[in-house]
Amino acid sequence: AQKITQTQPGMFVQEKEAVTLDCTYDTSDPSYGLFWYKQPSSGEMIFLIYQGSYDQQNATEGRYSLNFQKARKSANLVISASQLGDSAMYFCAMRELSSGNTPLVFGKGTRLSVIA
Amino acid sequence: EAGVVQSPRYKIIEKKQPVAFWCNPISGHNTLYWYRQNLGQGPELLIRYENEEAVDDSQLPKDRFSAERLKGVDSTLKIQPAELGDSAVYLCASSPGQPGEKLFFGSGTQLSVL
């Protein structure tokens, strides 16, 4: 069974600094996708970035990058130049892909607070 | 392009009462998901539809929860009767249906059972 672990319940970062949110995963499927979502206080889940298990390069999307270490089964999210609007819950999630269209399984999340 | 629409946004009911949530996915998205998110936790899947067929409902408490997706578009999730432990945010999501594609989420329905 697939599993996502986020060990940081809460993180603080100074505005304009970079921050890394940790995520480790466990799966026996060689084909999988890793996702990060942001959930502000409004409640909507906002997609940030995706990394496929066979992708050779780490994914990047603007200020977001994914530090993918396959051997360690980690997929940490790096946010550069933090902004006050980045304060939110962040969820790591995974889909196993060999069995077709499987659902996303989420971690428990990390609450990021950006300090001015 | 309109996103995933959910209603109501908030619902407060007394225990043992019925409640229903509605979801309109993004046009053309074949796959629809209902997730439940308890306070301080990540979302957990309740049911997944491929068009009008429920293909994964193993986590749906079938004694009190039911769902339908008529004509493979809109979906309704119902709880009858509601219990105190059902208080949570109920999220609907949709995707085009290809493996590896991201899910698009609605704003959720926050349910409080008193």
Side-chain angles (χ1 to χ4, degrees), chain A residues 40-92:
Chain A
S41 56
S42 59
E44 186 173 354
M45 298 285 282
I46 302 168
F47 168 78
L48 296 177
I49 196 166
Y50 170 80
Q51 178 86 42
S53 60
Y54 293 118
D55 292 344
Q56 295 298 312
Q57 293 186 328
N58 287 346
T60 60
E61 291 283 352
R63 294 187 298 111
Y64 305 107
S65 60
L66 201 151
N67 184 1
F68 181 46
Q69 299 188 43
K70 195 170 183 177
R72 295 184 177 182
K73 293 190 174 180
S74 74
N76 299 338
L77 176 70
V78 181
I79 305 174
S80 62
S82 297
Q83 302 172 357
L84 296 177
D86 294 335
S87 294
M89 284 291 293
Y90 288 81
F91 292 96
C92 181

Side-chain angles (χ1 to χ4, degrees), chain A:
Chain A
Q2 54 185 319
K3 182 180 178 182
I4 297 288
T5 302
Q6 295 181 254
T7 58
Q8 305 156 315
M11 291 281 288
F12 289 89
V13 63
Q14 201 76 31
E15 193 178 9
K16 301 181 183 178
E17 297 294 314
V19 63
T20 297
L21 306 183
D22 295 342
C23 173
T24 58
Y25 59 91
D26 186 24
T27 179
S28 57
D29 191 338
S31 179
Y32 52 89
L34 295 158
F35 300 75
W36 277 92
Y37 279 82
K38 172 185 178 181
Q39 188 177 42
S41 56
S42 59
E44 186 173 354
M45 298 285 282
I46 302 168
F47 168 78
L48 296 177
I49 196 166
Y50 170 80
Q51 178 86 42
S53 60
Y54 293 118
D55 292 344
Q56 295 298 312
Q57 293 186 328
N58 287 346
T60 60
E61 291 283 352
R63 294 187 298 111
Y64 305 107
S65 60
L66 201 151
N67 184 1
F68 181 46
Q69 299 188 43
K70 195 170 183 177
R72 295 184 177 182
K73 293 190 174 180
S74 74
N76 299 338
L77 176 70
V78 181
I79 305 174
S80 62
S82 297
Q83 302 172 357
L84 296 177
D86 294 335
S87 294
M89 284 291 293
Y90 288 81
F91 292 96
C92 181
M94 179 174 66
R95 297 178 82 170
E96 294 176 337
L97 304 179
S98 294
S99 302
N101 199 14
T102 58
L104 274 179
V105 175
F106 287 84
K108 292 188 176 182
T110 295
R111 181 172 296 282
L112 177 66
S113 299
V114 180
I115 303 168

Side-chain angles (χ1 to χ4, degrees), chain B residues 23-64:
Chain B
C23 173
N24 178 240
I26 293 173
S27 177
H29 282 194
N30 297 325
T31 308
L32 184 145
Y33 309 77
W34 282 103
Y35 282 84
R36 177 169 61 187
Q37 185 177 19
N38 292 314
L39 187 65
Q41 302 292 317
E44 296 178 333
L45 181 73
L46 289 174
I47 190 168
R48 173 169 64 97
Y49 282 93
E50 297 288 347
N51 297 304
E52 64 272 13
E53 181 182 1
V55 296
D56 185 354
D57 62 355
S58 58
Q59 301 303 312
L60 190 72
K62 297 181 183 64
D63 56 336
R64 297 183 300 106

